[in-house]
Amino acid sequence: MNPRIITLFDLSLIIARHLAGEMTDEEREQLNAWLAESAHHRELLERVRDERLTREKLLAYERADVEEALARFLAEKRKRSMRRRLTRYAGVAALPVIAAAWWLSSRPVAEAPAVDEPLLPRLASSITLTAPGGKYIELPAALPPEQRIGADLVLKQEAGMARIVPVTGDREEYRTISVPRGGEFRIMLGDGTKVWVNAETKFSFPLEFAGGERRVMLEGEAYFEVARDSGRAFAVETPLATVTVRGTSFNLSSDARRARTVATLVEGAVDFTVRETGEQVPMRAGEQVVLTGEGWDKREVEPSLYTSWREGWLNFSSERLEEMLEVIARWYNAEVLFVNEAAKDMLYTGQVRKYEDFREVLNIISLTRSARFSVDNRTIIVH
Amino acid sequence: MSENQDILLKQLEKDDERAYARLYALFFVPLLLFSRKYVNDEEVAKDVVQEVFIAMLGRKKEFYNMAALKEYLYNSARNACLNHLRHEKVKGRFESRAAREGEEEERFQERVLEEEVYARLAAAIERLPGQYRAVIRYTLEGHKISEIARKMNISLDTAKEYKKAGKKRLIIALRPSGDLFLLLATL
């Protein structure tokens, strides 16, 4: 195994666990590999194993006056923000510095993965609209200002969103939008509700809402900005749950393969109802409900992380490398091959630009020295 | 736990005081010990750490995750220390820069690693309930269980019991998934 796939920070955890007296076999192997690298490493481990040093360090933690240091810092901070307000008033702007760039530039650049041709996402073949009988039409790649689609519908564009308006026929009839991998579709429903439909998603909606309720169906992921209508609730059904709202913005994703439904509330209030048990979970802004085979869990999150796919990002939050690459690979129509099995379980958090050359993505990951990649045709090999 | 980290990083972007309070709780001591190795002086090291945090104020901070943030903090602390030493050089206490370079990088990494080990250990111990915490501390410091029982004025069997249970909790606290410090590889 290549020990370089372990970061310094991974290693510190392994050593801490070693001191506490428990390591997994894999960790022991990683530690041994690192020890074999240099005499310095062996000396370092000897040193941290020294009980006297442990005693001194722990004592230092106990004695350090963090409160005092923090108070000193905050006093200085307040003084400065006061000064800055004054400066801004005088019309002098401070130059922003991108922190992420500093730390990247301050370390040696990792070996670039051997990729010769750009690896770009293969974008959608086409987005389709299916009628109840199973008849479907392909929607044009670029939204026209106005265009007749099929016998009884008109496709319009309004504020960058598609509108599908019935000309004749049953206005309450449902239609299903199917967005393939690499695609994305924005639609405004009959009531003015805006829906961002993500890739690999099916979304069903009535051409016009009628009656006392607004009800749509979702398999996949979408972001909703629900138009206010105090008289009628808006309900989104996924295979495993229903989210009911009045006027609010939220992101809902249901992943059939993993039997996982995730609702993230950006603003307003919704009820999340578990189909199987009938349990109703009220949600407030900033909350997320995750429903899996083991039940549901509610937690507080930073919603933007879960909704920024709309702005062209692929997001990952403590995702295992295997699952993360699976998502990325689906997007880029690539295959993944793990030569190094241990790398599968490494956790990643971050965002990737969706339309970039995949090389760049791999480059960024290799910068961490936590994994190395090579690409052969459209297969990503993880070393 | 990663949601907490996401929140922390978001707050930090906005220079929210809560984020800095958290950063101080997590990194003040390790950065202090780390800096002290370079500058050899407790007070100077304290100033260095303060300088590192002050330098973040009002600037754009986009860290992908905690590992990136830590990487940045340690790098900044090192730079601040080296700057300080460069001034000291006039007094003839600093070796020439050229001779240092390659070795410096390796030493830097080892120093970060060493402090990280104890930062994790200390944070995990901190989260143990009182009695367990004391027993585990003494154990890690190399005391025999009979000494620990005497120090804490508890029976030998009780001490053994605490040690066993405390160790178990400590190991759980040090598990990657259960660890607030959990350092994710960077994307």
Side-chain angles (χ1 to χ4, degrees):
Chain A
M1 190 197 312
N2 186 341
R4 242 163 302 169
I5 63 149
I6 312 169
T7 67
L8 208 57
F9 299 120
D10 296 330
L11 198 59
S12 68
L13 183 61
I14 294 173
I15 295 176
R17 285 167 56 77
H18 169 68
L19 295 184
E22 196 193 82
M23 276 190 295
T24 64
D25 290 343
E26 193 190 317
E27 285 169 344
R28 184 166 300 114
E29 210 177 293
Q30 291 172 329
L31 182 60
N32 286 337
W34 178 76
L35 289 173
E37 260 177 20
S38 93
H40 275 296
H41 293 173
R42 294 189 288 277
E43 277 162 33
L44 181 64
L45 185 72
E46 266 324 293
R47 198 169 63 229
V48 299
R49 262 212 305 240
D50 182 349
E51 285 145 357
R52 206 185 47 213
L53 183 67
T54 309
R55 187 156 57 232
E56 285 168 6
K57 294 281 184 184
L58 294 181
L59 202 63
Y61 272 86
E62 207 155 81
R63 284 199 185 143
D65 197 347
V66 182
E67 303 281 275
E68 189 264 332
L70 176 63
R72 208 154 65 96
F73 167 82
L74 289 179
E76 179 69 18
K77 178 177 185 291
R78 283 167 198 152
K79 212 162 77 193
R80 279 175 190 239
S81 64
M82 186 83 77
R83 216 180 298 151
R84 208 172 26 250
R85 265 201 293 278
L86 295 173
T87 322
R88 198 174 294 154
Y89 188 69
V92 184
L95 278 177
V97 180
I98 297 166
W102 308 337
W103 73 267
L104 284 177
S105 63
S106 62
R107 55 189 311 181
V109 176
E111 167 192 344
V115 192
D116 4 74
E117 56 173 286
L119 200 54
L120 293 165
R122 289 213 175 128
L123 290 178
S125 42
S126 64
I127 293 167
T128 59
L129 184 71
T130 313
K135 243 177 85 178
Y136 71 90
I137 341 168
E138 286 188 4
L139 297 179
L143 281 182
E146 192 165 332
Q147 181 182 328
R148 189 79 176 233
I149 48 168
D152 47 5
L153 298 175
V154 172
L155 176 65
K156 289 186 184 173
Q157 198 200 127
E158 208 175 303
M161 307 210 102
R163 281 204 89 137
I164 296 171
V165 184
V167 182
T168 57
D170 184 353
R171 288 167 186 266
E172 291 169 35
E173 209 172 71
Y174 276 73
R175 288 290 187 282
T176 301
I177 288 274
S178 304
V179 183
R181 176 191 310 175
E184 224 174 273
F185 195 70
R186 300 166 189 191
I187 182 167
M188 192 189 284
L189 303 180
D191 64 339
T193 292
K194 294 175 184 168
V195 187
W196 282 254
V197 185
N198 204 352
E200 296 189 287
T201 298
K202 283 185 182 164
F203 174 63
S204 304
F205 58 97
L207 294 170
E208 269 176 24
F209 290 107
E213 196 194 40
R214 296 174 287 171
R215 185 169 290 272
V216 297
M217 275 74 97
L218 176 74
E219 273 177 68
E221 182 166 36
Y223 178 86
F224 294 87
E225 267 177 32
V226 177
R228 240 165 236 293
D229 183 339
S230 54
R232 296 185 296 178
F234 190 97
V236 187
E237 276 183 17
T238 75
L240 300 172
T242 305
V243 172
T244 317
V245 302
R246 288 195 186 277
T248 201
S249 297
F250 65 98
N251 193 76
L252 185 60
S253 112
S254 79
D255 182 340
R257 279 176 313 121
R258 288 200 281 167
R260 206 173 126 91
T261 309
V262 181
T264 310
L265 188 56
V266 178
E267 56 178 63
V270 305
D271 281 329
F272 184 100
T273 308
V274 182
R275 171 94 13 89
E276 200 177 84
T277 60
E279 277 170 289
Q280 231 180 52
V281 189
M283 290 176 70
R284 291 195 305 193
E287 287 183 338
Q288 178 177 72
V289 169
V290 180
L291 172 70
T292 63
E294 282 143 33
W296 61 269
D297 182 36
K298 187 162 79 171
R299 52 190 183 174
E300 274 192 32
V301 298
E302 172 56 46
S304 62
L305 197 67
Y306 297 88
T307 57
S308 58
W309 59 266
R310 293 183 304 143
E311 284 103 44
W313 295 92
L314 292 172
N315 288 297
F316 303 97
S317 170
S318 299
E319 198 83 60
R320 293 175 59 247
L321 183 63
E322 186 182 17
E323 280 160 25
M324 183 179 87
L325 285 183
E326 197 182 302
V327 171
I328 296 178
R330 258 192 288 153
W331 181 260
Y332 287 90
N333 257 331
E335 299 292 327
V336 185
L337 178 70
F338 278 86
V339 173
N340 170 17
E341 288 282 320
K344 284 184 174 178
D345 291 320
M346 289 190 303
L347 297 178
Y348 284 82
T349 292
Q351 301 185 315
V352 179
R353 271 273 168 220
K354 265 186 184 172
Y355 302 100
E356 243 162 37
D357 180 352
F358 191 49
R359 245 192 321 195
E360 289 305 311
V361 177
L362 294 180
N363 254 328
I364 294 168
I365 305 177
S366 352
L367 271 179
T368 69
R369 298 186 207 151
S370 53
R372 289 188 311 129
F373 307 90
S374 58
V375 176
D376 182 13
N377 199 3
R378 283 186 102 86
T379 302
I380 303 158
I381 302 157
V382 186
H383 302 278
Chain B
M1 282 300 177
S2 77
E3 265 69 30
N4 288 336
Q5 296 176 356
D6 294 337
I7 290 165
L8 172 67
L9 296 178
K10 285 280 169 201
Q11 286 176 343
L12 186 61
E13 272 180 40
K14 294 174 198 145
D15 272 340
D16 188 323
E17 291 193 353
R18 284 172 298 180
Y20 285 104
R22 196 84 199 98
L23 289 191
Y24 265 79
L26 291 171
F27 304 126
F28 177 74
V29 184
L31 287 172
L32 179 69
L33 298 178
F34 170 84
S35 303
R36 209 171 58 183
K37 286 222 184 83
Y38 283 89
V39 297
N40 244 326
D41 181 304
E42 177 94 19
E43 287 309 310
V44 176
K46 268 189 192 169
D47 289 341
V48 162
V49 178
Q50 161 121 337
E51 201 181 310
V52 166
F53 285 115
I54 291 283
M56 294 174 90
L57 289 172
R59 294 184 134 153
K60 200 164 172 191
K61 295 171 281 291
E62 290 176 339
F63 298 104
Y64 287 111
N65 57 31
M66 295 293 277
L69 170 61
K70 278 195 178 189
E71 189 105 26
Y72 165 72
L73 289 174
Y74 280 112
N75 265 315
S76 306
R78 168 174 65 169
N79 290 341
C81 287
L82 293 181
N83 267 335
H84 172 83
L85 291 175
R86 232 162 262 144
H87 288 122
E88 293 288 298
K89 188 183 168 189
V90 188
K91 301 174 198 163
R93 273 171 54 191
F94 198 57
E95 70 256 58
S96 90
R97 190 156 191 226
R100 210 196 62 233
E101 212 95 294
E103 204 185 299
E104 220 301 303
E105 178 59 28
E106 184 156 39
R107 205 170 49 180
F108 166 65
Q109 299 214 356
E110 289 176 9
R111 285 174 173 177
V112 171
L113 183 63
E114 184 179 317
E115 293 316 329
E116 277 301 297
V117 169
Y118 289 105
R120 286 167 183 284
L121 213 51
I125 292 172
E126 183 60 38
R127 291 208 299 277
L128 296 175
Q131 296 288 72
Y132 296 127
R133 197 190 309 148
V135 174
I136 290 301
R137 270 204 59 165
Y138 286 134
T139 306
L140 284 172
E141 289 175 309
H143 294 280
K144 293 207 174 59
I145 190 72
S146 54
E147 280 171 58
I148 297 174
R150 211 169 39 242
K151 271 175 183 283
M152 293 179 64
N153 206 10
I154 52 179
S155 79
L156 188 63
D157 282 340
T158 312
K160 280 181 181 163
E161 207 46 54
Y162 279 143
K163 183 179 164 181
K164 207 173 134 197
K167 212 165 163 183
K168 216 165 165 182
R169 283 167 184 252
L170 182 68
I171 285 161
I172 290 171
L174 281 170
R175 234 168 236 165
S177 58
D179 188 351
L180 185 67
F181 278 77
L182 168 64
L183 286 168
L184 313 168
T186 314
L187 191 65

